[in-house]
Amino acid sequence: DAGITQSPRHKVTETGTPVTLRCHQTENHRYMYWYRQDPGHGLRLIHYSYGVKDTDKGEVSDGYSVSRSKTEDFLLTLESATSSQTSVYFCAIMLSGTDTQYFGPGTRLTVL
Amino acid sequence: GQQLNQSPQSMFIQEGEDVSMNCTSSSIFNTWLWYKQDPGEGPVLLIALYKAGELTSNGRLTAQFGITRKDSFLNISASIPSDVGIYFCAGPQASGGSNYKLTFGKGTLLTVNP
């Protein structure tokens, strides 16, 4: 357990509405990541952060934005949710000095 | 970009049997990671390998870092029902600076029949 929490754990929303998912960590890790997981695709990186206000895109960043104003919080925003963004979203941190990542419990998002 | 090919995609075994799965890449990796994901939960790190040829155990799990650095293997001995889940391999993408990202295999779904 790397002290990672995600909120909400489940959310149902409608197409076109904005949605923000929160990842919170308690151990001051520098690197944080947002992934989505879909059947047949495995884990795909959306965005990641390498410090406060330092973020970069992953392989599936279209339709998503992120913000990191504090070390402990990494927010993922869907500006206008679409049905194709129905997925399970995982936050992860990278343990300093290693290549290993530890994952949060996930958020199941359904866009109707 | 780098890709990891994980096989088999799924396995159905009887309790007590041994399991083997592997991960291969066309690129060299300096680290191999193995994760397990239980239904409805996030992936959990099982084993990390850092050196070619390294063999590391974690209880009934044993993983090996291939000599060519392009593959890795995970073995589970004497499987039990709680071994059910998806097993992922992963490795860091070959880039420096602030670009610390992992490449993931698509997973092996393991089902254990009691």
Side-chain angles (χ1 to χ4, degrees):
Chain A
D1 183 352
I4 306 168
T5 57
Q6 292 184 231
S7 59
R9 293 294 312 279
H10 302 271
K11 186 170 181 66
V12 179
T13 191
E14 294 189 348
T15 297
T17 60
V19 176
T20 295
L21 308 183
R22 179 181 182 237
C23 178
H24 179 77
Q25 56 134 334
T26 60
E27 299 180 4
N28 291 321
H29 296 293
R30 179 182 173 194
Y31 285 82
M32 299 184 74
Y33 304 80
W34 275 109
Y35 293 89
R36 61 177 289 174
Q37 186 176 39
D38 305 286
H41 291 279
L43 288 159
R44 293 183 291 176
L45 181 65
I46 305 171
H47 282 279
Y48 69 103
S49 169
Y50 47 95
V52 173
K53 293 189 167 65
D54 292 323
T55 64
D56 204 351
K57 296 178 180 180
E59 60 182 300
V60 291
S61 59
D62 287 349
Y64 301 95
S65 62
V66 290
S67 65
R68 192 166 177 203
S69 58
K70 299 184 291 184
T71 299
E72 58 265 36
D73 289 324
F74 192 30
L75 303 180
L76 177 70
T77 298
L78 290 65
E79 301 290 346
S80 178
T82 67
S83 58
S84 64
Q85 293 176 311
T86 292
S87 186
V88 181
Y89 292 85
F90 289 101
C91 173
I93 61 92
M94 187 174 74
L95 202 61
S96 299
T98 76
D99 294 314
T100 54
Q101 291 185 17
Y102 292 84
F103 287 81
T107 294
R108 182 172 294 276
L109 176 67
T110 302
V111 183
L112 302 175
Chain B
Q2 295 173 310
Q3 290 187 337
L4 291 179
N5 299 307
Q6 199 168 343
S7 65
Q9 284 187 307
S10 62
M11 303 181 73
F12 297 85
I13 63 169
Q14 294 296 126
E15 183 177 359
E17 290 182 355
D18 296 342
V19 174
S20 291
M21 59 189 78
N22 69 80
C23 202
T24 61
S25 173
S26 58
S27 304
I28 288 174
F29 280 79
N30 294 318
T31 300
W32 284 96
L33 307 172
W34 285 94
Y35 290 86
K36 182 197 177 196
Q37 185 177 23
D38 290 329
E41 299 185 12
V44 173
L45 182 67
L46 297 173
I47 294 177
L49 302 161
Y50 300 106
K51 186 178 177 182
E54 179 182 355
L55 190 70
T56 298
S57 293
N58 178 4
R60 293 178 296 103
L61 277 62
T62 302
Q64 184 165 21
F65 193 139
I67 291 292
T68 65
R69 294 166 62 193
K70 292 183 178 182
D71 56 11
S72 180
F73 307 88
L74 177 69
N75 297 310
I76 305 173
S77 62
S79 59
I80 59 178
S82 63
D83 290 334
V84 165
I86 304 175
Y87 292 80
F88 293 99
C89 60
Q93 295 185 10
S95 52
S98 60
N99 195 7
Y100 291 98
K101 298 188 285 187
L102 291 179
T103 297
F104 286 87
K106 292 188 176 179
T108 293
L109 174 62
L110 178 64
T111 302
V112 179
N113 295 317

